[in-house]
């Protein structure tokens, strides 16, 4: 017992939670890599393993195919492909991980954008035999566009290139060359073999020349915060609590999540859109009163003055308001079957606010394979482009680069209610 | 460097349970903010017990902006239904119980054999309750780590007017911008603890000091061993001929329909001991204890397509 690692869940230190994205196709060994992470971190349980052993045998495979662990839907199993984003979980005891597993094919750009939208780190898989491909550039562009601060280029299948340091260095150089053009800053490179387990969780014995961290070591130490900059306080109001009971007769609580920044009791705040100012009297979480609340905390704010506030309003610090916009320019990823064209009316959902919007212009479409701009026209499904919207009601926005929560929005079709687009405000 | 560190400190200070809790509260408040007539599915099981705690954190000192609904198969352990009623009363919230047996009397549920699992039949009763009360959203305690079809389900999962889930045609879900817009008759299923694992649930129960039905803890119970699972001996699940009844110390990891919920060998008498066993365990929760999910690799996906939670 004493020689064993402490059990997950029993350790006292807690380094929180890291959400990361894996991008690549089945051919890059992505499913094997995830399978290996889960397997070597002892996150695969006996019956799940028995199921994939059965399936491996049924398919006539000699070894257990760890990639089967990430098979999800019936249609995917039948076709041997990944259709949709799947979420996986594992914990090392020190940290909990949420993996968003996005399919790699070009036509699934929308899935990658979806998976990237909540990730703090992206693992981009490169096949050591093939080097930096169009797909690698596409994945890197999207990860960067969606604002993932940390990229890890996992150069996989090192076993098939004789664990060659030269191959690794060459891929590294050519990646850095193109990354410079995208202004990607934090990028790390790891040579590995997911099949053999080298440099995933264990170091293995085949890559002695590599002195950097294993993939898991890197994940364990990567900053979990989405942004390392000091962000402005943004608190979109989700719900107003007015119990009107004898005990809480005058209670007015403004409920929401601190989307960014920090708020403390006594801080001067401004309410948008009214522009009224007051101060924070208390910050509640059930029966606790908190002196302050930081990013990603869901709390209830009590204010010093009686102000008329409802869902969709935003509470910000009095001296750092966001921009009030009736027209926005954004990079849009189009998610729907039919194309997006200028003149279309739709609904924009931004923070807890919704407004109708008109597509005023589509300036250009980004060719995500060649990383070129193609001017004008329309956006087809999976296209990404620059779009200008006119809004029926003002929104309170920050540039997406500065603030993911107040820079992002989704587009909704008024007739079908489907989510048809994702936007990032420029 | 110091200034840089202090800038990230507030976020870094959130431990994983704080983060999961804050996300779940945010989801519950989005349901309340976007939906006109939601309901929270409460079975007396550990996941929905966590949901109630999260709802307290989301809405107190106000009342919950939704009632609680239990779809009772009539095959529940009495400890669990008693706990269900007690918990709802303590919270002072309205509990609606709709029973599969009523659906059987109406003829909308027809059993193939009298002793069969009523788990899948809950779907009919749930859809009837949704129609009866006009619920536009059901909040459930499902988790993505339970089963592979769930790994791809959205936090806000759209169901058409037949209650069907179409896995290939789900609404994209980006950032934490949830889209609960529906037409009359359609329905949203919202899953605030999607990102939790079984271990997270137990850790949260321990941290918050939540009460649970007694059958979650080790107790001695007559069982038989069948296909690698322990099958409790009850009037609904009598031993088959040739099976030997043993008195074994067991606990339940899930508390669904008696006919398809099996206990596991355990001596864990406290939440801490359960956490220890859970962290150490080698069998996934549904694999060990849900006799109905073993039928086919895709059985959960099939039931969800038909309108199951």
């Amino acid at each position: 017992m004493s020689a064993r690692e402490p059990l997950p869940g029993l350790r006292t230190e807690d380094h929180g939670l890291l959400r990361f994205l894996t991008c690549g196709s089945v051919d890059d060994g992505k499913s094997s890599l995830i399978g290996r992470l889960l397997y070597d971190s002892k996150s695969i349980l006996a019956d799940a393993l028995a199921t994939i052993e059965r399936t491996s045998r049924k398919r006539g495979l000699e070894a257990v195919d760890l990639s089967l662990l990430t098979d999800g839907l019936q249609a995917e199993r039948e076709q041997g492909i990944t259709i949709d984003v799947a979420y996986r979980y594992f914990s090392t005891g020190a940290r909990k991980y949420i993996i968003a597993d996005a399919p790699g094919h070009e036509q699934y750009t929308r899935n990658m954008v979806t998976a990237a939208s909540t990730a703090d780190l992206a693992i981009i898989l490169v096949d050591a035999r093939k080097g930096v491909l169009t797909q690698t550039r596409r994945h890197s562009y999207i990860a960067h566009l969606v604002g993932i601060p940390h990229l890890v280029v996992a150069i996989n299948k090192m076993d098939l290139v004789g664990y060659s340091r030269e191959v690794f260095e060459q891929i590294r150089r050519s990646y850095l060359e193109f990354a410079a053009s995208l202004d990607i800053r934090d990028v790390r490179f790891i040579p590995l073999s997911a099949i053999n387990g080298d440099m995933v969780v264990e170091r293995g014995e085949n890559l002695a020349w590599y002195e950097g961290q294993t993939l898991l070591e890197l994940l364990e130490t990567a900053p979990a915060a989405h942004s390392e900059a000091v962000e402005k306080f943004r608190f979109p109001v989700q719900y107003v609590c007015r119990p009107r009971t004898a005990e809480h007769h005058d209670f007015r609580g403004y409920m929401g999540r601190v989307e960014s920044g920090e708020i403390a009791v006594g801080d001067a705040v401004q309410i948008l859109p009214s522009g009224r100012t007051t101060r924070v009297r208390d910050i509640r979480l059930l029966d606790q009163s908190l002196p302050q609340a930081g990013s990603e905390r869901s709390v209830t704010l009590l204010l010093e003055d009686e102000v008329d506030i409802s869902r969709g309003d935003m509470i910000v610090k009095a001296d750092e308001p966001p921009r009030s916009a009736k027209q926005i320019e954004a990079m849009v990823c189009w998610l729907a079957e039919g194309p997006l064209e200028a003149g279309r009316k739709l609904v924009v959902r931004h923070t807890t606010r919704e407004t109708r919007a008109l597509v005023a212009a589509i300036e250009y479409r980004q060719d995500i394979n060649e990383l070129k701009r193609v001017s004008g026209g329309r956006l087809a499904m999976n296209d990404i482009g620059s779009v200008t919207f006119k809004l029926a009601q003002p929104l309170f926005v920050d540039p997406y680069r500065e603030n993911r929560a107040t820079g992002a929005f989704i587009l909704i079709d008024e007739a079908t209610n489907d989510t048809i687009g994702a936007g990032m405000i420029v | 460097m110091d200034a840089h560190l202090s800038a990230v400190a507030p976020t870094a200070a959130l431990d994983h349970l704080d983060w999961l809790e804050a996300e779940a509260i945010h989801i519950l408040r989005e349901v309340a903010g976007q939906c006109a007539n939601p309901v929270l599915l409460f079975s007396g099981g550990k996941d929905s017990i966590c949901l109630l705690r999260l709802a307290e954190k989301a809405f107190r000192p106000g009342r919950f902006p939704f009632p609680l609904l239990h779809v009772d198969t009539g095959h529940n352990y009495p400890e669990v239904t008693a706990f269900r009623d007690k918990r709802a009363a303590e919270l002072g919230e309205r509990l609606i119980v709709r029973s599969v047996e009523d659906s059987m009397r109406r003829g909308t549920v027809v059993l193939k054999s009298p002793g069969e699992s009523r788990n899948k039949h809950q779907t009919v009763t749930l859809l009837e309750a949704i129609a009866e009360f006009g619920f536009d959203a059901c909040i459930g305690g499902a988790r993505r780590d339970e089963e592979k079809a769930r790994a791809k389900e959205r936090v806000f999962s759209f169901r058409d007017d037949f209650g069907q889930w179409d896995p290939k045609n789900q609404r994209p879900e980006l950032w934490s911008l949830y889209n609960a817009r529906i037409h009359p008759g359609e329905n949203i299923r919202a899953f605030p603890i999607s990102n939790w694992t079984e271990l997270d649930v137990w850790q949260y129960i321990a941290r918050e000091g939540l009460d649970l039905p007694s059958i979650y803890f080790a107790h001695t119970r007559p069982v038989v061993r069948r296909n690698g699972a322990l099958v409790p001996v009850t009037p609904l699940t009598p031993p088959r001929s040739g099976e030997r009844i043993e008195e074994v110390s067991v606990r339940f990891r899930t508390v669904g329909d008696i006919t398809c919920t099996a206990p596991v060998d355990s001596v864990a008498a406290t939440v801490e001991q359960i956490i220890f066993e859970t962290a150490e365990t080698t069998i996934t929760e549904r694999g060990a204890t849900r006799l109905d999910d073993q039928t086919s690799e895709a059985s959960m996906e099939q039931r969800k397509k038909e309108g199951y939670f």
Side-chain angles (χ1 to χ4, degrees):
Chain A
M1 197 64 209
S2 57
R4 290 185 55 179
E5 283 283 294
L7 287 163
L10 298 176
R11 293 196 193 171
T12 47
E13 52 176 336
D14 192 317
H15 297 237
L17 182 145
L18 184 77
R19 301 191 73 161
F20 69 92
L21 156 75
T22 53
C23 21
S25 65
V26 182
D27 303 335
D28 305 320
K30 181 180 55 132
S31 300
S32 303
L33 179 71
I34 295 172
R36 176 60 66 184
L37 264 178
L38 300 177
Y39 184 77
D40 282 359
S41 64
K42 308 196 169 44
S43 307
I44 299 175
L45 303 171
D47 56 339
L49 204 54
T51 307
I52 66 161
E53 274 167 0
R54 267 204 314 276
T55 311
S56 297
R57 271 201 307 278
K58 246 184 349 207
R59 295 192 186 172
L61 304 172
E62 280 172 22
V64 174
D65 183 356
L66 289 178
S67 72
L68 294 173
L69 282 168
T70 60
D71 270 7
L73 303 171
Q74 208 166 3
E76 295 177 325
R77 283 193 295 278
E78 284 158 6
Q79 298 168 41
I81 53 157
T82 321
I83 293 169
D84 205 341
V85 182
Y87 295 92
R88 323 262 165 211
Y89 305 86
F90 73 101
S91 169
T92 54
R95 208 171 220 190
K96 177 187 164 90
Y97 294 94
I98 303 178
I99 312 177
D101 178 11
H105 310 290
E106 188 172 1
Q107 61 268 40
Y108 297 130
T109 293
R110 61 185 219 142
N111 287 330
M112 190 182 153
V113 171
T114 302
S117 71
T118 52
D120 298 317
L121 179 147
I123 299 174
I124 294 169
L125 268 130
V126 172
D127 184 331
R129 296 169 304 172
K130 297 177 184 159
V132 175
L133 300 175
T134 300
Q135 173 187 278
T136 317
R137 287 197 284 271
R138 184 168 73 232
H139 293 157
S140 304
Y141 172 79
I142 295 171
H144 180 65
L145 174 76
V146 186
I148 296 178
H150 313 286
L151 299 190
V152 177
V153 178
I155 301 173
N156 189 25
K157 304 198 182 180
M158 289 300 292
D159 52 310
L160 300 181
V161 296
Y163 293 100
S164 158
R165 182 174 194 162
E166 245 132 77
V167 170
F168 171 76
E169 292 295 345
Q170 204 203 322
I171 293 172
R172 185 168 175 270
R173 273 195 304 275
S174 77
Y175 186 92
L176 282 172
E177 217 168 276
F178 117 86
S181 68
L182 285 182
D183 193 29
I184 292 173
R185 280 172 221 159
D186 182 7
V187 54
R188 314 276 196 94
F189 299 84
I190 302 179
L192 50 86
S193 166
I195 289 273
N196 296 332
D198 301 305
M199 292 299 162
V200 181
V201 173
E202 310 290 338
R203 295 194 73 81
E205 286 166 8
N206 298 308
L207 289 159
W209 51 265
Y210 170 75
E211 287 170 351
Q213 293 175 305
T214 63
L215 181 61
L216 186 64
E217 282 168 355
L218 196 151
L219 295 173
E220 292 275 83
T221 53
H226 171 66
S227 169
E228 286 156 44
V230 182
E231 291 191 318
K232 292 169 182 161
F233 173 69
R234 301 290 183 249
F235 190 86
V237 175
Q238 291 185 276
Y239 196 77
V240 178
C241 178
R242 292 211 62 190
R244 294 187 181 89
T245 55
E247 194 189 344
H248 299 284
H249 192 263
D250 295 321
F251 187 97
R252 284 172 182 234
Y254 305 104
M255 298 176 149
R257 186 171 60 176
V258 179
E259 292 292 351
S260 61
E262 198 182 7
I263 192 74
V265 172
D267 282 350
V269 293
Q270 184 183 150
I271 317 304
L272 299 169
S274 75
R276 291 272 319 259
T277 54
T278 177
R279 286 181 186 276
V280 175
R281 182 158 60 88
D282 198 358
I283 303 170
R284 297 272 182 90
L285 178 60
L286 197 53
D287 38 19
Q288 288 174 277
S289 271
L290 310 172
Q292 80 266 326
S295 177
E296 301 195 301
R297 275 247 183 220
S298 287
V299 293
T300 300
L301 297 185
L302 279 65
L303 303 177
E304 279 183 1
D305 302 294
E306 268 198 24
V307 225
D308 184 23
I309 300 178
S310 48
R311 176 178 165 84
D313 289 1
M314 197 179 330
I315 302 176
V316 301
K317 282 191 184 165
D319 55 355
E320 46 182 44
R323 179 167 71 94
S324 168
K326 280 209 70 170
Q327 175 164 321
I328 49 176
E329 257 175 70
M331 291 302 285
V332 167
C333 177
W334 188 243
L335 310 170
E337 298 275 353
L340 176 68
E341 288 170 334
R344 175 147 178 192
K345 285 189 179 136
L346 27 68
V347 173
V348 169
R349 163 175 286 278
H350 172 264
T351 65
T352 54
R353 216 173 163 78
E354 264 183 21
T355 179
R356 296 186 71 214
L358 170 76
V359 178
I362 299 176
E363 283 84 24
Y364 64 87
R365 179 175 68 78
Q366 179 79 31
D367 181 329
I368 57 172
N369 293 322
E370 299 302 321
L371 302 183
K372 285 187 318 206
R373 292 175 179 186
V374 182
S375 60
R378 37 153 66 178
L379 297 183
M381 182 155 79
N382 288 307
D383 279 351
I384 293 171
S386 170
V387 181
T388 302
F389 297 90
K390 282 195 172 137
L391 308 175
Q393 300 294 326
L395 294 175
F396 305 98
V397 304
D398 295 296
Y400 186 81
R401 284 266 162 255
E402 285 173 29
N403 196 311
R404 234 179 187 182
T406 46
F409 59 87
I410 57 172
L411 300 169
I412 297 171
D413 185 308
E414 280 184 295
T416 64
N417 291 326
D418 279 341
T419 303
I420 51 176
M424 288 150 280
I425 295 164
V426 178
Chain B
M1 193 64 203
D2 280 344
H4 169 81
L5 278 180
S6 65
V8 296
T11 309
L14 279 192
D15 73 23
H16 83 281
L17 289 179
D18 289 333
W19 190 93
L20 291 169
E21 178 187 273
E23 181 191 47
I25 293 171
H26 176 257
I27 292 164
L28 284 167
R29 289 172 175 167
E30 278 308 288
V31 176
Q34 292 192 42
C35 303
N37 188 19
V39 66
L40 185 146
L41 304 175
F42 177 56
S43 63
K46 67 180 192 314
D47 301 312
S48 57
I49 288 168
C50 286
L51 283 186
L52 292 184
R53 178 63 170 175
L54 293 161
E56 285 185 274
K57 294 211 180 189
F59 301 111
R60 292 291 186 244
R63 288 182 53 116
F64 295 174
F66 37 70
L68 316 179
L69 169 67
H70 183 222
V71 177
D72 190 340
T73 60
H75 282 175
N76 289 291
Y77 287 99
E79 294 91 335
V80 179
T81 43
F83 180 91
R84 174 198 72 191
D85 296 343
K86 179 177 88 110
R87 190 75 194 104
E90 283 167 359
L91 287 166
E93 300 291 345
R94 176 179 171 217
L95 172 69
I96 301 165
V97 177
R98 284 296 175 269
S99 148
V100 173
E101 287 171 348
D102 287 334
S103 301
M104 287 157 58
R105 275 191 284 277
R106 277 193 292 271
T108 47
V109 163
V110 180
L111 300 184
K112 290 197 193 91
S113 68
E116 78 175 317
S117 163
R118 296 174 181 177
N119 216 31
K120 66 172 184 183
H121 299 304
Q122 288 177 87
T123 305
V124 173
T125 311
L126 173 66
L127 295 178
E128 287 171 351
I130 288 171
E132 177 187 351
F133 293 94
F135 294 129
D136 56 354
C138 301
I139 302 162
R143 310 189 316 266
R144 285 179 181 147
D145 83 321
E146 284 178 73
E147 211 277 337
K148 51 170 112 182
R150 289 216 197 271
K152 304 208 164 177
E153 184 154 19
R154 305 294 185 253
V155 172
F156 277 56
S157 186
F158 173 80
R159 304 301 168 96
D160 67 14
D161 34 11
F162 298 95
Q164 299 175 107
W165 181 58
D166 180 357
K168 280 190 278 188
N169 193 22
Q170 302 191 73
R171 288 180 181 173
E173 195 160 80
L174 296 104
W175 298 287
S176 41
L177 293 172
Y178 304 108
N179 174 4
R181 291 169 71 113
I182 52 168
H183 293 296
E186 297 167 345
N187 195 257
I188 291 290
R189 307 290 167 87
F191 302 113
I193 61 169
S194 284
N195 285 325
W196 299 38
T197 61
E198 186 186 12
L199 186 58
D200 296 327
V201 167
W202 283 113
Q203 288 173 329
Y204 192 69
I205 288 167
R207 186 180 91 169
E208 300 292 312
L210 304 182
D211 276 341
L212 293 176
S214 57
I215 63 171
Y216 275 112
F217 301 99
H219 56 287
T220 304
R221 173 179 292 274
V223 298
V224 296
R225 296 182 191 271
R226 189 182 298 159
N227 302 331
L230 296 177
V231 179
V233 176
T234 69
L236 289 167
T237 53
R240 292 176 188 165
S241 69
E243 285 180 333
R244 190 168 60 87
I245 300 175
E246 298 170 59
E247 294 283 331
V248 179
S249 175
V250 297
R251 66 179 170 88
F252 286 87
R253 291 173 71 186
T254 65
V255 293
D257 188 294
I258 289 175
T259 62
C260 65
T261 310
V264 291
D265 269 301
S266 172
V267 291
T270 65
V271 173
E272 284 69 25
Q273 287 164 357
I274 291 172
I275 291 175
F276 190 86
E277 283 190 0
T278 304
E280 219 186 17
T281 193
T282 55
I283 303 281
T284 57
E285 185 176 344
R286 282 193 171 263
T289 61
R290 289 298 184 123
L291 302 167
D292 52 342
D293 285 344
Q294 294 180 358
T295 326
S296 104
E297 248 190 279
S299 57
M300 169 68 85
E301 184 179 341
Q302 198 50 48
R303 273 183 288 148
K304 288 175 74 70
K305 283 177 181 169
E306 289 161 6
Y308 192 69
F309 311 139

